Amino acid sequence: TVNDRSVGFDLDLFRNERRWRLCFWGVIAFALSVRLVGLNWDQGHHDHPDERAMVQAIQRISFQPGRLQLNPQFFAYGSLPIYLSALVSTLLGQFAPTLRHYDGLVLIARLVSAVMGTVTVGVLVVLGTRLFGRSAGLLAGLLLGGCVLHVQNSHYGTTDVFLTCLVLLALSGLVAVVEGGQGRRYLWAGAAIGLATATKFSALPLLVPLGVATVLRLSRERRAFPLVGALGALVVALAAFLAVQPYTLLDFREYGAQIREQGRMVRSAGL
């Protein structure tokens, strides 16, 4: 059952488990529907420059036996969204070969973003419910589900919605660490941090809330286990990162050059 912390905000309507689940899936259906409508918003003109760069990277990926090629040769963004979109294209391309071509890849990347945007809504509902109760969780999910900026970015085959989803998953895991402190919660949070960093390198500051969660657990437990849990989270984060972005090591020179270039662009933005 969902943890229901009464803070004077929950309505009787949502104390019924079946009714709450019905409302939850209603929010999810709403979020998915508004993200799937109009995926071909530019009518094939490919107006988004970051999206074009992502799709060109997806085109370089091949999972076919004998033609395996996993180096996207593009590290301004992480490899996870690229690999996932390429995998979906490979699978759906068995039934609709046009989805393997450029125009089809654009739609696949947007479809994956739409699904990830919907998953983000679900994660927010669960996190809000854990922290503030069912009504607050559903309201937060409904607001994000209809948020114009999030809906807009869910129509782009870029990394923004991916990153938001994985950052929220990581923070959810860290909230669970603070609440319970079991080893598996550290590992879950570490995996989410690693995958978020493999989506965009700017997710690396998630190590800060990991440190905060560890300090909070140390203050409560008065033993060394939180340090062991944090170390396990770091190991899992590194493993998850390298599992979906192996060319950080295999093509380290190019990876480092592109990350430094992104850093220079950020530092000089607006100057």
Side-chain angles (χ1 to χ4, degrees):
T1 60
V2 178
N3 182 22
D4 187 7
R5 297 182 176 183
S6 178
V7 292
F9 188 61
D10 270 330
L11 304 175
D12 290 337
L13 173 66
F14 301 127
R15 296 188 180 181
N16 179 283
E17 186 75 22
R18 184 176 180 181
R19 193 173 296 162
W20 184 87
R21 291 182 183 276
L22 181 63
C23 291
F24 171 81
W25 288 111
V27 169
I28 295 300
F30 164 69
L32 181 62
S33 63
V34 297
R35 283 159 177 76
L36 290 179
V37 171
L39 283 182
N40 190 25
W41 50 268
D42 59 350
Q43 299 178 334
H45 292 290
H46 315 308
D47 293 328
H48 198 303
D50 292 340
E51 192 177 65
R52 293 197 298 270
M54 288 285 291
V55 172
Q56 288 168 8
I58 294 170
Q59 284 185 305
R60 301 185 188 106
I61 304 301
S62 173
F63 296 110
Q64 296 181 16
R67 296 178 54 191
L68 187 66
Q69 207 295 104
L70 300 179
N71 187 353
Q73 302 170 23
F74 176 69
F75 304 110
Y77 300 138
S79 299
L80 177 58
I82 295 171
Y83 285 159
L84 186 56
S85 296
L87 179 61
V88 173
S89 172
T90 300
L91 294 175
L92 296 184
Q94 304 294 326
F95 308 98
T98 56
L99 293 177
R100 298 177 183 174
H101 303 151
Y102 188 91
D103 288 348
L105 288 174
V106 171
L107 294 178
I108 289 292
R110 293 175 182 176
L111 173 64
V112 172
S113 281
V115 172
M116 290 298 292
T118 305
V119 172
T120 308
V121 172
V123 174
L124 182 61
V125 173
V126 174
L127 179 60
T129 299
R130 175 190 287 272
L131 292 175
F132 302 111
R134 291 177 170 178
S135 298
L138 284 171
L139 179 60
L142 184 62
L143 291 174
L144 181 62
C147 174
V148 174
L149 181 61
H150 197 267
V151 172
Q152 179 188 44
N153 278 280
S154 296
H155 282 74
Y156 300 153
T158 56
T159 62
D160 301 286
V161 170
F162 262 90
L163 186 61
T164 302
C165 183
L166 290 167
V167 167
L168 197 57
L169 275 173
L171 294 177
S172 299
L174 293 172
V175 167
V177 166
V178 173
E179 289 184 340
Q182 293 93 334
R184 67 179 182 276
R185 298 187 178 190
Y186 286 96
L187 301 183
W188 169 259
I193 291 172
L195 294 177
T197 309
T199 298
K200 201 168 185 180
F201 193 74
S202 58
L204 196 60
L206 282 170
L207 295 177
V208 174
L210 172 61
V212 172
T214 303
V215 170
L216 290 174
R217 289 310 308 174
L218 281 170
S219 67
R220 296 179 183 182
E221 295 187 30
R222 307 288 184 181
R223 62 192 182 113
F225 180 76
L227 294 176
V228 176
L231 179 60
L234 290 173
V235 171
V236 170
L238 180 61
F241 173 76
L242 292 176
V244 294
Q245 189 153 306
Y247 285 89
T248 299
L249 296 179
L250 298 177
D251 195 4
F252 181 75
R253 179 175 296 180
E254 184 61 26
Y255 174 80
Q258 293 193 29
I259 292 297
R260 288 192 296 273
E261 180 183 10
Q262 291 296 307
R264 287 192 294 270
M265 290 170 60
V266 170
R267 287 192 296 272
S268 60
L271 300 179

